[in-house]
Amino acid sequence: RLGSTDPVGPTRPAAASGYRAATVTSEDWSSLKEGLQFDGLKPVTDVWPAAEDVVGVPLVRGLGGGCQPVEQVDDSGMVFVRMCPGTFTMGSPEDEEGRYSDEGPDHQVTLSEFSIGKYEVTNQQYRTLVPDHQGDDDLPATYVNWHEAKAFCEQFGFRLPTEAEWEYAARAGTQSRWSFGDDESQLERYGWYSKNSGTRAHPVGTREPNEWGLHDMHGNVYEWVSDRWANVYPAEPQVDPTGPATGDRRVVRGGSFWVEPGGLRSAFRRWDDPEGRFEDVGFRCVRSPLTP
């Protein structure tokens, strides 16, 4: 039973059966799932596999507060984190410290569910597509142009994130300069950048994740996204935007080991030549809800 803070109800015989039943009450789906565990019995997700999809996903839209990011391992071995559908303010307000004009106007964006890589794609993973690609296994795959990054994701049925999806995931529910807040002194806990990187990339996942469990959204290497570049955003609200229909440049997000703190802000953006290969530009993939 959802929507009550009463303790677990008394165990009592179920009518016309040899089983015993219990009433479990909870305010939210996550707590309800925990409550449906009993000594000596299988967990609820073994008996009702769909429960894993109910706890924190769009199947319970409208029930309020149930959706939570959930980590998933794909058949390819890549780790994804499921992003709940939602609405956020993309871009930065005019008074944000370090802001550039191409980060505005800040505007409302609504996104459907998607899953995004927990880590930047590594050299080891990229070698499944390009066996002679160079670099330590656990470092982010760089010197990969936009077309090659796109091809890698698509070989698994994935894709590059849109710019809006990337920023939504990077912000992790915040509107501050970085996902952890506005205190620059905390940045070295979450990202590799000019002050702590030694001007080189580091193994993925070696800084703390954001609140949604994603690593290296601030720093380490820039990340290609699917969108073409535009100098400004549309001012009106957007739903699942994919960027301009025309243009030669592609957007990169997140900052890198070369970059000062302001360039690691959640709203910071820049462009690169999609044919270019750079030592500080990598990528991560997105999996749509219906991707196998």
Side-chain angles (χ1 to χ4, degrees), residues 30 47 69 85 161:
S30 295
V47 179

Side-chain angles (χ1 to χ4, degrees), residues 201-264:
H202 289 257
V204 303
T206 50
R207 298 284 87 180
E208 292 184 30
N210 68 16
E211 285 297 312
W212 288 353
L214 303 172
H215 291 267
D216 299 311
M217 300 300 284
H218 304 301
N220 211 15
V221 295
Y222 282 105
E223 299 175 17
W224 291 114
V225 297
S226 62
D227 297 40
R228 294 178 173 89
W229 172 261
N231 290 326
V232 295
Y233 291 128
E236 63 274 8
Q238 303 284 303
V239 177
D240 292 325
T242 56
T246 61
D248 297 329
R249 302 165 176 174
R250 296 286 176 171
V251 178
V252 293
R253 298 297 299 260
S256 80
F257 57 81
W258 288 110
V259 177
E260 294 295 313
L264 275 67

Side-chain angles (χ1 to χ4, degrees), residues 1 9 18 25 64-65 94 117 166 189 195 291:
R1 184 193 310 163
T25 58
E94 292 184 0
W166 190 96
R189 295 171 50 197
K195 295 184 179 180
T291 300

Side-chain angles (χ1 to χ4, degrees), residues 35-288:
L36 292 171
Q37 297 185 38
F38 301 94
D39 291 342
L41 298 178
K42 292 181 179 180
V44 62
T45 50
D46 283 2
V47 179
W48 180 32
E52 194 63 47
D53 293 325
V54 167
V55 178
V57 296
L59 290 177
V60 293
R61 289 178 193 157
L63 293 179
C67 190
Q68 298 293 328
V70 177
E71 188 172 309
Q72 306 162 319
V73 180
D74 186 78
D75 291 343
S76 67
M78 295 179 66
V79 183
F80 288 85
V81 178
R82 185 175 56 206
M83 299 286 103
C84 302
T87 299
F88 78 111
T89 300
M90 184 174 180
S92 60
E94 292 184 0
D95 61 353
E96 180 167 304
E97 182 180 352
R99 180 187 193 264
Y100 291 89
S101 61
D102 59 19
E103 298 169 16
D106 53 345
H107 59 290
Q108 187 180 83
V109 172
T110 299
L111 294 175
S112 302
E113 179 192 344
F114 65 99
S115 296
I116 190 167
K118 182 179 178 72
Y119 310 103
E120 294 162 331
V121 171
T122 65
N123 289 317
Q124 183 181 40
Q125 291 168 333
Y126 190 67
R127 277 192 278 271
T128 64
L129 178 66
V130 184
D132 61 352
H133 179 75
Q134 300 298 302
D136 293 349
D137 284 355
D138 55 0
L139 291 179
T142 57
Y143 294 105
V144 176
N145 70 32
W146 181 87
H147 302 285
E148 293 164 339
K150 179 175 180 286
F152 174 86
C153 293
E154 290 179 351
Q155 78 163 336
F156 296 108
F158 309 148
R159 57 180 173 82
L160 289 174
T162 66
E163 187 174 14
E165 288 172 337
W166 190 96
E167 185 171 325
Y168 180 67
R171 287 190 176 280
T174 69
Q175 290 299 142
S176 49
R177 296 177 75 201
W178 301 280
S179 64
F180 53 83
D182 294 315
D183 183 0
E184 182 180 312
S185 69
Q186 300 299 309
L187 184 55
E188 65 180 56
R189 295 171 50 197
Y190 296 89
W192 297 110
Y193 66 113
S194 62
K195 295 184 179 180
N196 69 349
S197 69
T199 62
R200 61 182 176 85
H202 289 257
V204 303
T206 50
R207 298 284 87 180
E208 292 184 30
N210 68 16
E211 285 297 312
W212 288 353
L214 303 172
H215 291 267
D216 299 311
M217 300 300 284
H218 304 301
N220 211 15
V221 295
Y222 282 105
E223 299 175 17
W224 291 114
V225 297
S226 62
D227 297 40
R228 294 178 173 89
W229 172 261
N231 290 326
V232 295
Y233 291 128
E236 63 274 8
Q238 303 284 303
V239 177
D240 292 325
T242 56
T246 61
D248 297 329
R249 302 165 176 174
R250 296 286 176 171
V251 178
V252 293
R253 298 297 299 260
S256 80
F257 57 81
W258 288 110
V259 177
E260 294 295 313
L264 275 67
R265 291 176 299 110
S266 298
F268 181 81
R269 57 197 298 261
R270 53 167 269 197
W271 61 267
D272 269 318
D273 176 359
E275 308 291 340
R277 296 184 177 88
F278 310 97
E279 68 173 320
D280 67 338
V281 178
F283 65 102
R284 71 181 76 212
C285 297
V286 154
R287 186 174 71 169
S288 296

